[in-house]
Amino acid sequence: MLVTAKYRRHSKNGKDAMLFIKLSFTLLSMLFVPVIGVFGYQLNNHPSLKPYESFFLKPPYEERKGVTATFLGVSTILISDGETSI
């Protein structure tokens, strides 16, 4: 009972602890929201790729005439003339 009375005398029935928890949560929230905002902005902020469009790969030709060979892996090659394939 002596310890309980001493604790109550210093904590005012837990109100100080609850106030500390509320203030801590509020301050952490006030810091957390801007940090997430800055992080999100940095993830979406990137320079334009317009100057480098000449280095992009061109799409393959739509229609191929004649015999074509397509590499399909380590040791497989597809040879096709448009109608039949080997």
Side-chain angles (χ1 to χ4, degrees), residues 1-73:
M1 197 180 263
L2 193 57
V3 174
T4 307
K6 185 177 181 181
Y7 175 73
R8 284 186 182 162
R9 186 178 68 212
H10 290 293
S11 70
K12 298 178 188 173
N13 294 328
K15 291 181 183 178
D16 288 340
M18 186 58 78
L19 180 63
F20 177 75
I21 291 171
K22 286 181 181 179
L23 285 175
S24 298
F25 180 74
T26 303
L27 290 174
L28 286 175
S29 297
M30 290 173 67
L31 290 173
F32 184 70
V33 170
V35 167
I36 293 299
V38 168
F39 185 69
Y41 176 76
Q42 289 297 326
L43 283 177
N44 292 321
N45 183 23
H46 49 80
S48 173
L49 294 176
K50 195 84 166 162
Y52 305 103
E53 283 184 353
S54 63
F55 297 109
F56 292 172
L57 294 175
K58 307 290 188 248
Y61 296 109
E62 294 296 323
E63 185 178 325
R64 295 180 181 169
K65 298 191 183 219
V67 179
T68 60
T70 306
F71 178 69
L72 297 176

